[in-house]
Amino acid sequence: MQTRFCFLMFIIVAMFVLLSATAGSVLAGHGSPRADKDGILLVAFGTTVSEAEKAIENIDAEVRTAFPETEIRWAYTSNIVRHKLAKEAGKHIDSPARALARMMDDGFTRVAVQSLHTIPGEEYHGLVRTARSFAGMPKGMTQVVIGYPLLASTADMERVVDAVLANVPAERDKDEAVVLMGHGTHHPGNIYYPGIQYFFSRKDPNVFVGTVEGTPSLDDVAAELRARGIRKAYLMPLMSVAGDHARNDMAGPEEDSWKSVLTKQGITCVPVLKGTAEYDNIVAVWIDHLKSAMAQFE
Ligand code: CO
C-alpha cells in the first residue's frame, strides 16, 4: 500500500514537472526570450534633514561610478521619513515594496537590492523579507539579490574600524576620546555595537561606541570616560547620515544631548556632523557588498 502510494505520488510529481517545463517553453516561445534587464535598488532608512542628504548624494554618485551601465533607483525604509518628506517638502520617495513593484512593471529581470543600513537589524531584515517576496513573481523579476548592510562580517568590522579611525579629525590627540553615536535597537542585531567596540578597543583604547536606543548607552560611555579621566571628546555619528539624531541627540543644545551631558561632566566636546556615508572609505564597503550581491546574478 505504502509503495503504491509512493509510486502514485512520483507519477503526479513527474507529471507536474513535465507540465511546468512545457508551460515554460510555451511562454519562452511566445516572442523572443526575455533579455536580462538589471537594476540596482539602493535602500536607506532615509532622512528629513536636508543638510544630511549630502550623504545620500555621495552614495548615489559612488554607486553610479562603480556601475555606470546599470540603472539605479532609491527607496527609504522609514515610513515616517517618507511621509514627512511628502507632506512637508513635496518629495516622494518610494518604500522598498513600491520601488520593487515599479521595477517589476518596468521590466527589470534581475535586481540587486543594497541595504545602506549600518547593522543587520530590524530595517535590514524587513528589507530582506520584502525583497525575497518579489523574486519569482509571475511576470516579475527572475532574481532579486540582497547586499549586506555596512557591518556584516568580521572583515567588515575591521575595515570600518580602520576607515572611521582614518576619518577622525587629525588634530585629535591620543589621550582625547572619540565617542561614536550608533542608533541602537531592541532587535538582536544590536550586538553589532558592542561587537565593533571590541575591534575599536584593539586599535585605539580611547574610542567608545554608544547608542541612542540600545546598548551601550550614553551612561555606559560616560562611565568609561570618567574612569579614564578623559578631558576632551570628539563626537561622531556611527550612522550613514548626520540627521536628526546627530544634530539634536548628539550635538544639540538640549540638556540631555550627548554634548550637554558630557560637557556637564567636565569634558570638552567637539561634534563632527558628518554621516559615515559622506566618507568614501566607508561607502566603499557598501559598494563591495553590492558587488558581491551582483556576483550572484545567474
Ligand atoms: Co531613530
Side-chain angles (χ1 to χ4, degrees):
M1 190 63 192
Q2 197 71 13
T3 345
R4 272 178 64 191
F5 178 72
C6 279
F7 184 69
L8 199 67
M9 281 305 287
F10 173 78
I11 295 288
I12 290 169
V13 169
M15 278 170 67
F16 183 75
V17 167
L18 263 170
L19 203 68
S20 36
T22 323
S25 60
V26 166
L27 283 177
H30 199 89
S32 51
R34 220 158 50 135
D36 275 319
K37 183 177 173 185
D38 294 348
I40 291 171
L41 179 63
L42 299 175
V43 184
F45 180 78
T47 179
T48 54
V49 179
S50 52
E51 300 98 293
E53 276 172 23
K54 283 194 290 266
I56 303 278
E57 285 157 16
N58 187 45
I59 297 183
D60 188 73
E62 294 283 315
V63 174
R64 272 172 215 284
T65 308
F67 302 96
E69 309 292 324
T70 314
E71 189 174 331
I72 295 157
R73 298 195 180 183
W74 276 87
Y76 287 175
T77 51
S78 169
N79 284 338
I80 295 173
V81 166
R82 291 190 311 102
H83 292 154
K84 206 171 164 200
L85 280 175
K87 209 174 145 199
E88 290 171 14
K91 213 175 151 186
H92 296 273
I93 310 261
D94 284 343
S95 66
R98 189 185 290 236
L100 285 165
R102 281 190 209 271
M103 290 179 94
M104 195 168 100
D105 284 351
D106 293 345
F108 286 88
T109 60
R110 304 190 300 186
V111 174
V113 178
Q114 179 56 49
S115 154
L116 300 172
H117 303 104
T118 301
I119 58 151
E122 189 168 300
E123 300 295 316
Y124 170 72
H125 285 285
L127 176 62
V128 170
R129 287 204 301 278
T130 302
R132 285 207 179 129
S133 64
F134 276 86
M137 250 188 216
K139 303 194 179 181
M141 276 91 82
T142 51
Q143 227 191 330
V144 179
V145 295
I146 302 147
Y148 283 127
L150 185 66
L151 303 175
S153 67
T154 302
D156 295 335
M157 294 281 202
E158 288 172 331
R159 204 170 154 198
V160 169
V161 162
D162 287 342
V164 169
L165 292 178
N167 299 339
V168 170
E171 60 269 24
R172 174 228 169 194
D173 288 330
K174 283 284 177 189
D175 62 345
E176 296 166 348
V178 175
V179 172
L180 299 165
M181 178 192 257
H183 194 278
T185 172
H186 57 275
H187 187 277
N190 187 78
I191 197 64
Y192 277 79
Y193 296 105
I196 200 168
Q197 176 67 65
Y198 167 76
F199 293 98
F200 274 117
S201 300
R202 289 209 308 188
K203 289 268 165 86
D204 187 326
N206 287 333
V207 177
F208 302 97
V209 178
T211 63
V212 187
E213 290 175 17
T215 306
S217 64
L218 172 62
D219 285 348
D220 296 329
V221 172
E224 290 281 355
L225 298 180
R226 265 197 306 277
R228 282 155 210 255
I230 300 273
R231 309 296 304 162
K232 187 174 174 183
Y234 288 80
L235 312 183
M236 297 172 71
L238 185 61
M239 300 186 201
S240 59
V241 302
D244 191 47
H245 287 305
R247 277 157 218 276
N248 298 314
D249 302 328
M250 189 184 86
E254 298 80 13
E255 225 173 87
D256 58 350
S257 77
W258 289 28
K259 184 185 166 189
S260 301
V261 169
L262 295 177
T263 303
K264 206 176 267 176
Q265 207 175 289
I267 296 165
T268 305
C269 291
V270 185
V272 182
L273 286 179
K274 252 178 121 173
T276 53
E278 288 179 64
Y279 299 99
D280 291 351
N281 59 358
I282 294 182
V283 173
V285 179
W286 273 300
I287 289 183
D288 281 350
H289 290 174
L290 176 55
K291 283 181 181 161
S292 307
M294 291 190 48
Q296 296 167 47
F297 280 162
E298 282 151 3

